[in-house]
Amino acid sequence: MENEYQERNLKIEQELVNDLSLAKTLNDVVVTKAKYLGKNGVITELTKNMRDLSSDERALIGKYATEIRNKANDLISDKENKINAEILNEKLKKETIDITLPSKKRKTGSIHPFNRIVMEIEDLFVSMGYDVLDGPELETDEYCFQRLNIPLGHPVRDTQDSFYVDKDCLLRTQTSSVQARTMEKNVEKGPIRMICPGKTYRRDDDATHSHQFGQFEGLVIDEHITLADLKGTLEVMARKLLGEKTDVRFRPSYFPFTEPSVEVDVSCFKCGGKGCPLCKNTGWIELLGAGMVHPNVLKSNGYDPSKYTGFAFGTGIDRLAMMKYNIPDIRYMYTNDIRFLKQFDRKECK
Amino acid sequence: MKLSRKFLNDYIDTSDIEINKLANDMTSVGNEFDFCGKLVSATNLVIGEVISCMDHPDSDHLHVCKVNVGEKVLDIVCGAPNVREGIKVIVALPGAILPGGTIKEGVIRGVPSNGMLCSIAELGLDHKFLKPEDIEGICELGLDAKVGEDPIKYLNLDDEVIDFELTSNRGDLLSVLGMAYEIGAIYNRKVNEVCLDYPKVSGKMNFNLSIDTKKCSLFLAKKAIDVTIKESPDFIQKRLIASGIRPINNVVDISNYVMLELGQPLHYYDADSLGDTLIVRDAKDGEELVTLDNVTRTLSNEDIVISNKNNAIGLAGVMGGLSTEVTENTKNILIEAAIFDSVSIRLTSKKILRSEASNRFEKGLDPKRTYMAMERSCYLLSKYADAKIIDDIVIFDESVKNDKAIKINTSDINGLLGLNISKDEIIDIFNRLDFSVLDNGDDLTVTVPSRRIDISIKEDLIEEVARIYGIDKIVGTLPVLPTKMGSYNKFLRSVREILSSLGLNETLSYTLIPNNIAHLYTIDEFDEINLLDPMSDDHRTLRYSLLPSMMLTYDYNAKRNNKDLALFEVGKKFKKVDGNYYEKNSLAILMSGNVDYGLNHEKVTFYDIKGVMEELLDGLGFKNRYSLNTDNLPKEFHPGSSANINLNGKNIGVIGKVHPNITKDNVYLMEIDIEELENLGVKKLEYQEISKYPAITKDVAFIFDRSIKNEKIVTAIKKSAGKYLTNIELFDLYEIDESNRSLAYKLDFRSQDTTLTDEIVMPIFEKIIADIKVKFNATLRDK
């Protein structure tokens, strides 16, 4: 008997598979489903009229009927899923968009190259324990010059031709004024480690000079600070800002607020020192002025030169930005052409 | 300072050192140069003799010459008016490189020409040194010139020059002798003595000198009589030219020559025009003087003048006067060698004339050198101007001439430099510099000659050691300092980050702006801060607000057709109150034109810039602490689309549309007193409990009179609703007609501790509706 039921199931299954293969739409599937599983469906019929049968017989028929019903349900729902998937695919195909149309965004803005450099310098020196300080741009002659060992009539004032607003006040010609203010403010007259980036002003205007420009100054004061420490510090700075292979060279120079004073060159980061137009074929680029804080400067700001020594260095921010980003004319830094500004809209984390 | 190699070699023999090496070695001890090389750079020149000269067949001014250059005879076409048979000339051979170009073999109007006959000018000397005949015609060499030899050498122009750019402390290097000492230190060579030996005639000066100013520390006067004014000897002329000074006559040239040689400017007076009295005094305010250049100068009391009994006759250290000038007819000379106050000379020369002399006075002079220069001047006048020098001298001397003795030890030096130089090496360096050293074991006493006016303290000596030792030999170390965290202004950096991430581009503008826009965009009355001496009207006044700068930036871009802008800037603004100056950081924002959002080009509106303001203030922690009001707006703002920004009851800025009187373009501006915000505290950022219970949302739309502001309605709804209203959002606005508009709000009700039901919310909702209707005379809009 069992063989007979088995064969019957097999036959029903084959017929169902055949019927489903002909079904094209969900409706076709519904019709097929009714034909087998409906009220009078082929499979439903199997368990009808079993009243006269023995309980064993009923159980056996029931078992085979359940088996084929489950099978049928699986086959039908597979077919339904298949058709649904086709319908969905068809629908999605119709929804295809032109992914090359313009995006909807508020474009990221930009930070001016001047301040990008300032932030880079700040991050570097903050990581070495320096404080970033600020000072007035409208400064007194005392802090801009006199406290920095530049008395009235000093010839160096010629190279820093200034904008005075009255006989005592001027737009600072150098951020060195912040040196004097920092030393003065330090009431304990203890160690100092600071940089001060900011705007400075001189009577000058051409492709490489602007009457307004940026400088940053560094100052370290402590016991036993040496010129070698200055060199080591500038080496770190040059390598982090301009590349790990950068070399630093000292040449003697003169600034009234440092003694000894040095002019600091860095090996050309464009050509690596071989010689190119940027370094005028010398392999070196003049980067900053520096030196050991002059004892008169220490004294006039309340520090004891027999106890403390220190170094100071300063350089142009615009120049660094121009070198780093290959900007040919300092005036581009101040005219704020939007086509210039927008070029600085990305991060430089690599 | 242009240094002539021939001049230098009088005092130190450098003939074995190539000029580039000399210049580079000087740079490495701190003396940079602009130029180094030959005085005359022309190449391939030879002395020739014109052996025949005929008119060119096809020209009315050219000549066809045969020129013997020794090895051969060249055909050369020459246009100079003075070319003729028998003269010795400078021939530029084919291949010669002259400042005007390279000489090639060629054909000139059908006649071959294989070289060029040169004028002095064509060799490349600056025209200011030349006589008219040097420019107009070819150079005629003396008959002793040897055909085939080097004409540059024959003309005594075979010199080399280094043009130094000296630091302002090294006044001592503004002399050939000073250069010799410096070069002597580099190469460890001795400097030759200056020759000062000349015949004197006995006599008396019979001269009254009176120094009536504090600004003259040394004044020497001597007399040279029976001088012959003529051309200087060739070597003096050529050395002056190499040093950048035009030769005039022997007497003038000698004063310049001594200045170049020893660094001390001199002045020669016509002794007969001068009379017997000389007074050095401060000028009177408004006093007039006709200087050598025949210009009447009006003086002030910071200037120093030389005066006779009655009138000023010279501007000390800067320029002589016309009335006592040495002329062709001068017979007797009064020689002045003096030291004037460097600050005063600097101020006067800045006003009147920067000269070689004033430059030297400004940098400071060595009194010993003043005496030496007087003697040297007498020596040269006696030798080259047939002068008889009276052995008497008038002296006023309050100068400090002592050589400075400075104590130093090796640990001072090595301690500051971070080097380890031995005592012997240090002593050797001082000796090379011609500083004498007394060795007391640990301590050295170094005596610095008075010519080195730049050296006065230990640190100056340390620099000398470093310079000569080689400052670049220092090996970098890092200072040993305690580890600590540095600090920086996080606030301003946050402002930059927020604004740039909102799509604004940072600008950097000038602090100095034109005066005529300085008062715009503010209602404040204020004192201007103007430069005493501006470079131009464009940069005359310190800005009181950043907005004028911002609008300049707008104009610049608009002119270039970039009108869609979103800009910000943080910078200082300045004010003056009761004579005191104040400055603080301010933030300005400009948004204009359109914003692109995908395919949409949306016109910038008030709500765009307001959105930036809110994002910024909220982002900095000031949420719910600010409001807008429309009282007293600056007249440059659109009165209906602008507002003051108020924080904690204080106006901290302005926001709005630029008035159409200023621009027809769609431009919005905002300025905030950012430093005000920087100094205020904000609430700590802390987690707020999120309600576990669902919200009930109700929508309601009213019709209001148009004058009723959204903010007022929102405030009223919040007040009426009580604690369960957690969010209110205006989701629709509809302008019904000229007097009415409909505003629709979505209200979220939520409790922190229970699930709200309609039974709880509906009474609140109905109360809100009733309250708003009454308060604003509003009606409910049909749903």
Side-chain angles (χ1 to χ4, degrees), chain A residues 107 109-110 115 122-123 129 132 137-138 158 164 166 193 201 203 212 227 229 231 250 259 261 336 338, chain B residues 346 354 415-416 460 463 472 474 477 482 484 486-487 493 500 503 505-506 508 511 532-533 557 581 583:
Chain A
K107 230 186 114 19
S110 54
N115 285 319
E122 285 178 351
D123 290 346
V132 181
E137 290 174 26
L138 188 54
D158 284 353
Y164 281 85
D166 63 32
R193 229 185 300 178
Y201 306 84
R203 302 170 61 85
Q212 175 179 323
L227 194 60
D229 293 337
K231 191 167 186 181
F250 274 4
E259 188 73 36
S261 300
N336 298 308
I338 190 70
Chain B
R346 178 172 169 268
R354 307 308 287 264
L416 194 68
D460 296 327
E463 181 172 75
D472 196 44
I474 292 172
T477 54
K484 74 170 181 85
S487 62
R493 199 177 278 202
S500 63
N505 299 288
E506 189 184 24
L508 177 62
T511 300
L532 295 180
D533 189 13
N557 280 288
Y581 300 107
E583 61 184 71

Side-chain angles (χ1 to χ4, degrees), chain A residues 201-246:
Chain A
Y201 306 84
R202 290 182 197 179
R203 302 170 61 85
D204 229 341
D205 253 327
D206 62 38
T208 51
H209 297 92
S210 160
H211 76 273
Q212 175 179 323
F213 58 101
Q215 273 196 345
F216 85 94
E217 189 100 352
L219 174 71
V220 172
I221 292 180
D222 211 327
E223 293 172 38
H224 312 302
I225 299 290
T226 69
L227 194 60
D229 293 337
L230 170 64
K231 191 167 186 181
T233 302
L234 295 178
E235 278 167 353
V236 170
M237 181 188 113
R239 283 167 196 166
K240 294 297 167 202
L241 289 182
L242 304 171
E244 286 299 334
K245 285 181 185 151
T246 309

Side-chain angles (χ1 to χ4, degrees), chain B residues 457-491:
Chain B
I457 56 171
K458 211 161 63 178
E459 284 74 11
D460 296 327
L461 284 182
I462 296 174
E463 181 172 75
E464 290 303 295
V465 172
R467 280 192 326 121
I468 304 301
Y469 175 81
I471 206 159
D472 196 44
K473 287 183 194 158
I474 292 172
V475 177
T477 54
L478 280 176
V480 183
L481 296 169
T483 305
K484 74 170 181 85
M485 176 89 177
S487 62
Y488 64 97
N489 189 325
K490 288 187 177 153
F491 181 82

Side-chain angles (χ1 to χ4, degrees), chain A residues 68-127:
Chain A
I68 187 67
R69 189 179 294 116
N70 289 345
K71 186 77 197 176
N73 270 323
D74 286 353
L75 287 168
I76 288 164
S77 74
D78 280 357
K79 182 66 185 185
E80 272 172 357
N81 288 345
K82 204 178 152 206
I83 292 175
N84 274 328
E86 278 164 12
I87 292 169
L88 185 62
N89 276 342
E90 206 50 43
K91 184 165 176 264
L92 293 184
K93 216 178 224 174
K94 282 181 193 148
E95 284 173 5
T96 301
I97 58 159
D98 179 356
I99 55 164
T100 66
L101 290 183
S103 55
K104 287 193 174 180
K105 66 187 167 193
R106 295 285 189 227
K107 230 186 114 19
T108 308
S110 54
I111 292 179
H112 195 280
F114 183 97
N115 285 319
R116 294 179 80 104
I117 293 284
V118 169
M119 279 154 58
E120 210 174 318
I121 293 164
E122 285 178 351
D123 290 346
L124 169 61
F125 280 96
V126 164
S127 77

Side-chain angles (χ1 to χ4, degrees), chain B residues 24-82:
Chain B
N24 286 323
D25 288 346
M26 280 291 269
T27 300
S28 67
V29 297
N31 307 306
E32 291 184 55
F33 64 96
D34 249 3
F35 168 84
C36 86
K38 288 182 172 165
L39 173 62
V40 173
S41 60
T43 61
N44 249 356
L45 303 176
V46 67
I47 296 171
E49 182 175 5
V50 180
I51 52 178
S52 76
C53 178
M54 288 178 299
D55 290 343
H56 191 291
D58 191 21
S59 162
D60 58 358
H61 71 282
L62 294 177
H63 307 275
V64 182
C65 308
K66 286 199 180 298
V67 183
N68 175 16
V69 294
E71 290 172 353
K72 51 189 168 182
V73 173
L74 297 175
D75 292 319
I76 295 176
V77 174
C78 177
N82 62 328

Side-chain angles (χ1 to χ4, degrees), chain A residues 311-329:
Chain A
F311 62 70
F313 55 89
T315 187
I317 295 169
D318 308 83
R319 225 171 85 79
L320 273 174
M322 288 164 73
M323 287 199 305
K324 176 163 181 194
Y325 298 116
N326 219 353
I327 300 167
D329 188 324

Side-chain angles (χ1 to χ4, degrees), chain B residues 760-771:
Chain B
I760 304 171
V761 171
M762 273 317 285
I764 303 172
F765 186 53
E766 275 156 17
K767 176 177 177 283
I768 294 171
I769 292 170
D771 287 351

